């Protein structure tokens, strides 16, 4: 007997033929899709489902996959206003020294429900803000974070990797309200990664590895050789376990160095941001088989351009990502797709690059395939049922004469009504079914306030004078971390 029958005004299967089905239905049994087709046909074949969801108001899509983000960010968004260097330093202080187990649990739960309510069924997140503050000092933070994240029913791929040298790095740990500090070298961080690769993956939780990006122009100090060796060792560990290796903050020069000098780039490598790549680097990415994560909402899109159309033309795979829930991003993949299209069209003065359907593939089927989730990402018989229902019965989506175009140009994450993960309905009518949303939000607020007091960063919540300025004024930024905001060199 079919467990679940989903009906919709339109089903966008995202299969290779780009098949769409008007007035369609999806039959799901034991978490797998057993049939997709016209509603009347599917209802005749499966007349007695245990449960029905959907209806003529909805468009059915595969669940979104956010292929690059950061754990911790949900409790630090907008901190410091637009002073990104100060915000970045605050993340170091918080994640390395000021984050208690309660902080990580509250952030994990809040991030998970924010994403589910925006239709993100799978998220990929570094455990921290990047290689400057990854929590790789032991397995406890990662294990607890994954458990808390999974309570709402979403899927998580947790990125684990070492901090940037020099070593050792100082981490603060909290137990029963007591703070202690530990010094952790690369060998211990490497062992943490190895143990998590072995022990953490289960159910809807997976693990990817991360390694610091090597920029030969910036990181050419006394720790350069050590940094290169860290990258090579992490790649060897990834190869030993068949894991994806992710490198954040890629830009011109770093890709060529990673490919030609380090030899660590292949079809299981994710290069995030990839700004201002040369034509040769574009070809290197395509030839290596690596995937690029484009983050059009991120502040990095202001500092440089990821050549997405050029990468696609060269045959490379690009996926669209949020870059996290802070400082100014968010889980809304409709916004990511829309901004991604507009950004690259404006840069190239071409209104036809990156059409909506291409962007939709880059947030559903293609990232699913890259992260080893090829058994989902499309709505086809035999695939696992990760899907969302988007409500067209909204003023800003009416009259939905061209539903897919309406979704791309007008929908937001708030229009996601229902979310199904592995055939389980985890949200319906925008009500989360596994967890208490109000309680999660209340605890997150409490833990954010406690973190500000614990770290002495409350001053960073003040609205800066620059908020009201006629134009950007760098001199207006004079927060408590301004003196520490310069990038560090290794």
């Amino acid at each position: 007997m079919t467990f679940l029958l989903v009906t919709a005004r339109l089903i966008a299967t995202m299969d290779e033929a780009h098949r769409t089905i008007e007035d369609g239905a999806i039959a799901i049994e034991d978490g797998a899709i057993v049939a997709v087709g016209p509603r009347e046909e599917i209802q005749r074949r499966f007349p007695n489902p245990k449960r029905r969801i959907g209806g003529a108001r909805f468009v059915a899509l595969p669940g979104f996959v956010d292929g690059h983000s950061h754990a911790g960010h949900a409790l630090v968004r907008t901190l410091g206003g637009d002073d990104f260097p100060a915000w970045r330093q605050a993340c170091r202080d918080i994640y390395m020294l000021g984050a208690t187990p309660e902080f990580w649990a509250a952030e994990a739960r809040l991030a998970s429900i924010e994403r589910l309510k925006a239709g993100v069924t799978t998220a990929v997140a570094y455990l921290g803000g990047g290689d400057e503050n990854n929590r790789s000092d032991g397995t406890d933070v990662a294990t607890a974070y994954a458990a808390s994240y999974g309570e709402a029913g979403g899927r998580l791929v947790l990125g684990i990797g070492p901090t940037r040298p020099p070593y050792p790095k100082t981490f603060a740990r909290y137990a029963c309200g007591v703070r202690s500090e530990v010094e952790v070298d690369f060998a211990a961080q490497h062992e943490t990664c190895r143990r998590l690769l072995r022990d953490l993956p289960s159910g809807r939780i997976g693990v990817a590895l991360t390694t610091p990006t090597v920029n030969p122009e910036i990181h050419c100090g006394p720790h350069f050789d050590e940094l290169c060796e860290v990258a090579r060792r992490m790649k060897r560990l990834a190869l030993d376990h068949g894991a994806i290796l992710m490198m954040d903050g890629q830009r011109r020069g770093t890709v060529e160095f990673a490919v030609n000098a380090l030899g660590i780039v292949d079809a299981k490598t994710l290069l995030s941001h990839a700004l201002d790549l040369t034509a040769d680097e574009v070809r290197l990415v395509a030839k290596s088989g690596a995937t690029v994560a484009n983050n059009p909402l991120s502040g990095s899109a202001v500092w440089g351009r990821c050549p997405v159309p050029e990468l696609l033309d060269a045959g490379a795979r690009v996926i669209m990502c949020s870059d996290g829930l802070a400082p100014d991003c968010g889980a809304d993949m409709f916004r990511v797709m829309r901004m991604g299209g507009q950004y690259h069209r404006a840069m190239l003065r071409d209104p036809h690059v990156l059409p909506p359907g291409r962007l939709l593939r880059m947030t559903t089927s293609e990232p699913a395939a890259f992260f080893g989730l090829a058994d989902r990402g499309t709505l086809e018989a035999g695939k696992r049922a990760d899907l969302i229902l988007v409500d067209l019965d909204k003023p800003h989506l009416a009259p939905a004469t061209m539903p897919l175009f309406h979704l791309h140009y007008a929908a937001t994450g708030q229009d996601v009504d229902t979310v199904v993960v592995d055939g389980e309905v985890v949200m319906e009518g925008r009500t989360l079914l596994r967890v208490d949303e109000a309680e999660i939000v209340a605890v997150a607020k409490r833990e954010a306030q406690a973190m500000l007091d614990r770290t002495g960063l409350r001053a960073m919540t003040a609205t800066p004078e620059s908020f009201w300025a006629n134009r950007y004024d760098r001199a207006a930024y004079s927060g408590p971390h301004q003196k520490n905001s310069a990038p560090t060199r290794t």
Side-chain angles (χ1 to χ4, degrees):
M1 178 180 290
T2 302
F3 172 76
L4 181 65
L5 185 72
V6 183
T7 60
R9 170 181 169 177
L10 182 72
I11 299 172
T13 66
M14 302 310 298
D15 64 9
E16 292 185 3
H18 307 149
R19 185 170 53 121
T20 59
I21 304 168
E22 294 187 10
D23 191 14
I26 305 167
I28 300 168
E29 186 172 22
D30 295 330
I33 298 172
V34 294
V36 182
R39 178 178 55 82
E40 291 186 358
E41 174 190 328
I42 299 300
Q43 287 180 333
R44 281 197 304 269
R45 291 176 56 188
F46 305 96
N48 298 306
K50 291 183 179 178
R51 186 174 182 185
R52 296 173 184 264
I53 61 172
R57 295 165 48 190
F58 301 107
V59 172
L61 301 167
F64 292 128
V65 179
D66 183 354
H68 173 77
S69 67
H70 296 274
H73 280 16
L75 296 191
V76 298
R77 43 183 143 220
T78 73
L79 199 62
D82 287 329
D83 192 343
F84 179 74
W87 176 82
R88 185 167 153 178
Q89 178 62 43
C91 287
R92 296 188 190 111
D93 294 345
I94 295 165
Y95 298 161
M96 299 283 281
L97 302 172
T100 63
E102 293 78 15
F103 171 94
W104 288 114
E107 197 281 340
R109 295 184 179 109
L110 184 65
S112 69
I113 67 170
E114 178 180 349
R115 290 182 175 124
L116 284 174
K117 297 201 78 170
V120 176
T121 54
T122 299
V124 181
Y126 278 59
L127 187 58
D131 54 44
E132 299 164 326
N133 47 48
N134 283 345
R135 285 308 299 248
S136 49
D137 52 309
T139 62
D140 52 339
V141 173
T143 301
Y145 189 91
S148 297
Y149 191 97
E151 291 173 5
R155 183 174 293 101
L156 177 68
V157 178
L158 198 57
I160 308 295
T163 54
R164 185 178 295 277
Y167 305 108
K169 281 290 191 293
T170 302
F171 294 84
R173 294 179 177 171
Y174 295 82
C176 301
V178 178
R179 182 182 189 272
S180 60
E181 291 188 356
V182 294
E183 300 290 316
V184 185
D185 60 14
F186 172 70
Q189 295 186 47
H190 186 272
E191 175 61 15
T192 292
C193 297
R194 189 191 66 79
R195 289 172 60 191
L196 288 169
L197 280 169
R198 181 192 65 195
D199 298 338
L200 187 57
S202 63
R204 298 176 189 173
I205 303 298
V207 174
L209 292 179
T210 73
T211 195
T213 291
V214 183
N215 189 324
E217 294 184 2
I218 295 177
H219 305 132
C220 52
H223 300 284
F224 179 73
D225 290 341
E226 184 179 19
L227 178 59
C228 292
E229 182 58 21
V230 166
R232 294 188 182 101
R233 287 195 61 185
M234 293 308 296
K235 183 59 182 180
R236 288 197 292 271
L237 184 62
L239 289 171
D240 288 345
H241 290 265
I244 288 170
L245 182 68
M246 307 191 298
M247 292 183 282
D248 198 6
Q250 295 291 314
R251 61 180 311 112
R252 177 178 299 197
T254 67
V255 171
E256 181 178 5
F257 191 81
V259 174
N260 292 333
L262 296 177
I264 60 173
V265 179
D266 57 23
K268 299 201 74 171
T269 304
L270 183 69
L271 307 169
S272 299
H273 299 291
L275 304 179
D276 296 332
L277 302 188
T278 66
D280 285 342
E281 286 181 308
V282 168
R283 288 190 287 270
L284 282 173
V285 172
K287 184 178 180 181
S288 71
T291 293
V292 168
N294 180 223
N295 312 277
L297 295 182
S298 171
S300 66
V302 177
W303 307 328
R305 173 179 171 265
C306 175
V308 172
E310 294 91 330
L311 285 160
L312 294 174
D313 288 345
R317 176 161 50 190
V318 182
I319 60 177
M320 304 300 292
C321 314
S322 71
D323 199 25
L325 307 180
D328 54 359
C329 304
D332 189 340
M333 298 304 287
F334 286 110
R335 182 175 171 227
V336 169
M337 287 187 286
R338 192 154 52 242
M339 183 62 182
Q342 292 172 346
Y343 177 86
H344 294 289
R345 291 166 199 159
M347 291 292 104
L348 297 177
R349 305 292 194 269
D350 184 348
H352 302 296
V353 300
L354 294 178
R358 189 72 188 85
L359 290 161
L360 189 55
R361 292 203 303 274
M362 293 160 67
T363 57
T364 56
S365 57
E366 293 179 2
F370 174 72
F371 285 104
L373 303 171
D375 60 343
R376 60 200 77 226
T378 64
L379 303 181
E380 303 176 82
K383 294 293 187 77
R384 302 296 296 175
D386 283 10
L387 63 89
I388 63 176
L389 295 178
V390 183
D391 187 358
L392 292 175
D393 197 13
K394 301 286 185 70
H396 61 283
L397 295 176
T401 51
M402 299 177 69
L404 292 179
F405 274 89
H406 276 69
L407 292 184
H408 179 77
Y409 288 109
T412 74
Q414 296 296 310
D415 300 319
V416 177
D417 177 271
T418 301
V419 178
V420 177
V421 182
D422 269 332
E424 176 191 357
V425 182
V426 297
M427 183 176 83
E428 187 175 13
R430 292 202 59 76
T431 297
L432 296 162
L433 303 181
R434 277 190 170 200
V435 294
D436 185 330
E437 178 180 344
E439 180 183 1
I440 288 174
V441 171
V443 172
K445 290 179 180 178
R446 184 185 70 210
E447 289 302 323
Q449 295 302 312
M451 174 272 294
L452 291 172
D453 291 335
R454 188 165 54 246
T455 58
L457 294 175
R458 186 170 293 280
M460 291 187 69
T461 64
T463 302
E465 292 183 10
S466 59
F467 183 87
W468 303 106
N470 290 328
R471 63 184 298 277
Y472 174 80
D473 182 4
R474 188 178 297 275
Y477 292 115
S478 56
H481 286 77
Q482 186 65 28
K483 64 182 181 297
N484 297 323
S485 62
T488 57
R489 290 174 176 262
T490 61

Coordinates of all heavy atoms in Angstrom, one line a residue, residues 153-196:
G153 N 14.6 17.0 11.1 CA 14.4 16.1 9.9 C 15.2 16.4 8.7 O 15.0 15.7 7.7
G154 N 16.0 17.5 8.7 CA 16.7 17.8 7.5 C 18.0 17.0 7.4 O 18.4 16.4 8.3
R155 N 18.6 17.1 6.2 CA 19.9 16.4 5.9 C 21.0 17.4 6.0 O 20.9 18.5 5.5 CB 19.8 15.8 4.5 CG 21.1 14.9 4.2 CD 20.9 14.2 2.9 NE 19.9 13.2 3.0 CZ 18.6 13.3 2.6 NH1 18.3 14.4 1.9 NH2 17.8 12.3 2.7
L156 N 22.2 16.9 6.5 CA 23.3 17.8 6.7 C 24.6 17.0 6.3 O 24.8 15.9 6.6 CB 23.5 18.2 8.2 CG 24.7 19.0 8.5 CD1 24.6 20.4 7.9 CD2 24.9 19.1 10.1
V157 N 25.4 17.7 5.5 CA 26.8 17.2 5.2 C 27.7 18.2 5.9 O 27.7 19.4 5.6 CB 27.1 17.2 3.7 CG1 28.5 16.8 3.5 CG2 26.1 16.3 3.0
L158 N 28.4 17.7 7.0 CA 29.2 18.6 7.8 C 30.6 18.6 7.3 O 31.2 17.5 7.2 CB 29.1 18.0 9.3 CG 29.5 19.0 10.4 CD1 28.7 20.3 10.3 CD2 29.4 18.3 11.7
G159 N 31.1 19.8 7.1 CA 32.5 19.9 6.6 C 33.5 20.0 7.8 O 33.4 21.0 8.6
I160 N 34.4 19.1 7.9 CA 35.4 19.0 9.0 C 36.8 19.1 8.4 O 37.1 18.5 7.4 CB 35.3 17.6 9.7 CG1 33.8 17.3 10.1 CG2 36.2 17.6 10.9 CD1 33.3 18.3 11.1
G161 N 37.6 20.0 9.0 CA 38.9 20.1 8.6 C 39.8 20.9 9.5 O 39.2 21.6 10.5
P162 N 41.1 21.0 9.3 CA 42.0 21.6 10.2 C 42.0 23.2 10.1 O 41.5 23.7 9.0 CB 43.3 21.1 9.8 CG 43.2 20.8 8.3 CD 41.8 20.4 8.1
T163 N 42.4 23.8 11.1 CA 42.6 25.3 11.0 C 43.9 25.5 10.2 O 44.7 24.6 9.9 CB 42.8 25.9 12.4 OG1 43.8 25.1 13.1 CG2 41.5 25.8 13.2
R164 N 44.1 26.8 9.9 CA 45.3 27.2 9.2 C 46.5 27.2 10.1 O 46.4 27.7 11.3 CB 45.0 28.5 8.5 CG 46.1 29.1 7.6 CD 45.7 30.4 7.1 NE 44.5 30.3 6.2 CZ 44.6 29.9 4.9 NH1 45.8 29.6 4.4 NH2 43.5 29.8 4.2
P165 N 47.7 26.8 9.7 CA 48.9 27.0 10.6 C 49.2 28.4 10.8 O 48.7 29.3 10.0 CB 50.0 26.2 9.8 CG 49.5 26.2 8.4 CD 48.0 26.2 8.4
P166 N 50.0 28.8 11.8 CA 50.8 27.9 12.6 C 50.0 27.1 13.7 O 48.9 27.5 14.1 CB 51.8 28.8 13.3 CG 51.1 30.1 13.4 CD 50.2 30.2 12.2
Y167 N 50.6 26.0 14.2 CA 50.0 25.2 15.2 C 51.0 25.3 16.4 O 52.2 25.6 16.3 CB 49.9 23.8 14.8 CG 49.1 23.6 13.5 CD1 49.7 23.3 12.3 CD2 47.7 23.8 13.5 CE1 49.0 23.1 11.2 CE2 47.0 23.7 12.4 CZ 47.6 23.3 11.2 OH 46.9 23.2 10.0
P168 N 50.4 25.0 17.6 CA 49.0 24.6 17.9 C 48.1 25.7 17.9 O 48.5 26.9 18.0 CB 49.2 23.9 19.3 CG 50.3 24.7 20.0 CD 51.3 25.0 18.9
K169 N 46.8 25.4 17.9 CA 45.7 26.4 18.0 C 45.1 26.3 19.4 O 44.9 25.1 19.9 CB 44.7 26.2 16.9 CG 45.2 26.8 15.6 CD 45.2 28.3 15.6 CE 45.4 28.9 14.2 NZ 46.7 28.6 13.6
T170 N 44.6 27.4 19.9 CA 44.0 27.4 21.2 C 42.5 27.3 21.0 O 41.9 28.1 20.3 CB 44.3 28.6 22.0 OG1 45.8 28.7 22.2 CG2 43.6 28.6 23.4
F171 N 41.8 26.3 21.7 CA 40.4 26.2 21.7 C 39.9 26.2 23.1 O 40.6 25.7 24.0 CB 39.9 24.9 21.1 CG 40.2 24.7 19.6 CD1 41.5 24.3 19.2 CD2 39.3 25.0 18.7 CE1 41.7 24.1 17.8 CE2 39.5 24.8 17.3 CZ 40.7 24.4 16.9
A172 N 38.8 26.9 23.4 CA 38.1 26.8 24.7 C 37.1 25.8 24.7 O 36.3 25.6 23.7 CB 37.5 28.2 25.0
R173 N 37.0 25.0 25.8 CA 36.0 24.0 26.0 C 35.2 24.4 27.3 O 35.8 24.9 28.2 CB 36.6 22.6 26.1 CG 37.2 22.2 24.7 CD 37.8 20.8 24.8 NE 38.3 20.4 23.5 CZ 39.1 19.3 23.4 NH1 39.4 18.5 24.4 NH2 39.5 18.9 22.2
Y174 N 33.9 24.0 27.3 CA 33.0 24.3 28.4 C 32.4 23.0 28.8 O 31.8 22.3 28.0 CB 32.0 25.3 28.0 CG 32.5 26.7 27.6 CD1 33.1 26.9 26.4 CD2 32.5 27.7 28.6 CE1 33.6 28.1 26.0 CE2 33.0 29.0 28.2 CZ 33.5 29.2 27.0 OH 34.0 30.4 26.6
A175 N 32.4 22.8 30.1 CA 31.8 21.6 30.7 C 31.2 22.0 32.1 O 31.9 22.5 32.9 CB 32.7 20.4 30.9
C176 N 29.9 21.9 32.2 CA 29.2 22.2 33.4 C 29.5 23.7 33.8 O 29.7 24.0 35.0 CB 29.6 21.3 34.6 SG 29.2 19.6 34.2
G177 N 29.6 24.5 32.8 CA 29.8 26.0 33.1 C 31.2 26.3 33.3 O 31.5 27.5 33.6
V178 N 32.1 25.4 33.3 CA 33.5 25.6 33.6 C 34.3 25.7 32.2 O 34.2 24.8 31.4 CB 34.1 24.5 34.5 CG1 35.6 24.8 34.7 CG2 33.4 24.5 35.8
R179 N 35.1 26.7 32.1 CA 35.8 27.0 30.8 C 37.3 26.5 31.0 O 37.9 26.8 32.1 CB 35.8 28.4 30.5 CG 36.5 28.8 29.2 CD 36.5 30.3 29.0 NE 36.9 30.8 27.7 CZ 38.2 31.1 27.4 NH1 39.1 30.9 28.4 NH2 38.5 31.5 26.2
S180 N 37.8 25.8 30.0 CA 39.2 25.4 30.0 C 39.7 25.6 28.6 O 39.0 25.7 27.7 CB 39.4 23.9 30.4 OG 38.7 23.1 29.6
E181 N 41.0 25.7 28.5 CA 41.6 25.9 27.2 C 42.6 24.7 26.8 O 43.2 24.2 27.7 CB 42.4 27.2 27.1 CG 41.5 28.4 27.1 CD 42.3 29.7 26.9 OE1 43.6 29.7 26.8 OE2 41.7 30.8 26.9
V182 N 42.6 24.4 25.6 CA 43.5 23.3 25.1 C 44.2 23.8 23.9 O 43.7 24.6 23.1 CB 42.7 22.0 24.8 CG1 42.0 21.4 26.0 CG2 41.6 22.3 23.7
E183 N 45.4 23.3 23.8 CA 46.3 23.5 22.6 C 46.2 22.3 21.7 O 46.5 21.2 22.1 CB 47.7 23.8 23.0 CG 47.9 25.0 24.0 CD 47.6 26.3 23.2 OE1 48.1 26.5 22.1 OE2 46.9 27.2 23.8
V184 N 45.9 22.5 20.4 CA 45.6 21.4 19.5 C 46.5 21.6 18.3 O 46.4 22.6 17.6 CB 44.2 21.3 19.1 CG1 43.9 20.1 18.3 CG2 43.3 21.3 20.4
D185 N 47.4 20.6 18.0 CA 48.2 20.6 16.9 C 47.6 20.0 15.6 O 46.4 19.5 15.7 CB 49.6 20.0 17.2 CG 49.5 18.5 17.5 OD1 48.4 17.9 17.3 OD2 50.5 17.9 18.0
F186 N 48.3 20.0 14.5 CA 47.7 19.4 13.3 C 47.4 18.0 13.4 O 46.4 17.5 12.9 CB 48.5 19.7 12.1 CG 48.0 19.0 10.8 CD1 46.9 19.4 10.2 CD2 48.7 17.9 10.3 CE1 46.4 18.8 9.1 CE2 48.3 17.3 9.2 CZ 47.1 17.7 8.6
A187 N 48.3 17.2 14.0 CA 48.1 15.8 14.1 C 46.8 15.4 14.8 O 46.1 14.5 14.4 CB 49.3 15.2 14.9
A188 N 46.5 16.2 15.9 CA 45.3 15.9 16.6 C 44.1 16.3 15.8 O 43.0 15.6 15.8 CB 45.3 16.7 17.9
Q189 N 44.1 17.4 15.1 CA 43.0 17.8 14.2 C 42.8 16.8 13.1 O 41.7 16.5 12.7 CB 43.3 19.2 13.6 CG 43.3 20.3 14.7 CD 43.5 21.7 14.1 OE1 42.8 22.0 13.2 NE2 44.3 22.5 14.7
H190 N 43.9 16.3 12.5 CA 43.8 15.3 11.4 C 43.1 14.0 12.0 O 42.3 13.4 11.3 CB 45.2 15.0 10.9 CG 45.3 14.1 9.8 ND1 45.3 12.7 9.9 CD2 45.3 14.3 8.4 CE1 45.4 12.1 8.7 NE2 45.4 13.1 7.8
E191 N 43.5 13.6 13.2 CA 42.9 12.5 13.8 C 41.4 12.7 14.1 O 40.6 11.8 13.9 CB 43.6 12.1 15.1 CG 43.0 11.0 15.9 CD 43.0 9.6 15.2 OE1 43.7 9.5 14.1 OE2 42.3 8.7 15.6
T192 N 41.0 13.9 14.5 CA 39.6 14.2 14.6 C 38.8 14.0 13.3 O 37.8 13.4 13.3 CB 39.4 15.7 15.1 OG1 39.9 15.8 16.4 CG2 38.0 16.1 15.0
C193 N 39.4 14.5 12.2 CA 38.8 14.3 10.9 C 38.6 12.8 10.6 O 37.6 12.4 10.1 CB 39.6 15.0 9.8 SG 39.7 16.8 10.1
R194 N 39.7 12.0 10.8 CA 39.7 10.6 10.5 C 38.6 9.9 11.3 O 37.8 9.1 10.8 CB 41.0 10.0 10.8 CG 41.2 8.6 10.3 CD 42.4 7.9 10.8 NE 42.4 7.7 12.2 CZ 41.7 6.8 12.8 NH1 41.0 5.9 12.1 NH2 41.7 6.7 14.2
R195 N 38.5 10.2 12.6 CA 37.5 9.6 13.4 C 36.1 9.9 13.0 O 35.2 9.1 13.0 CB 37.7 9.9 14.9 CG 39.0 9.3 15.5 CD 39.3 9.8 16.8 NE 38.2 9.6 17.8 CZ 38.1 10.1 19.0 NH1 39.1 11.0 19.4 NH2 37.1 9.8 19.8
L196 N 35.9 11.2 12.7 CA 34.5 11.6 12.3 C 34.1 11.0 10.9 O 32.9 10.7 10.7 CB 34.4 13.1 12.2 CG 34.4 13.8 13.6 CD1 34.6 15.3 13.4 CD2 33.2 13.5 14.3

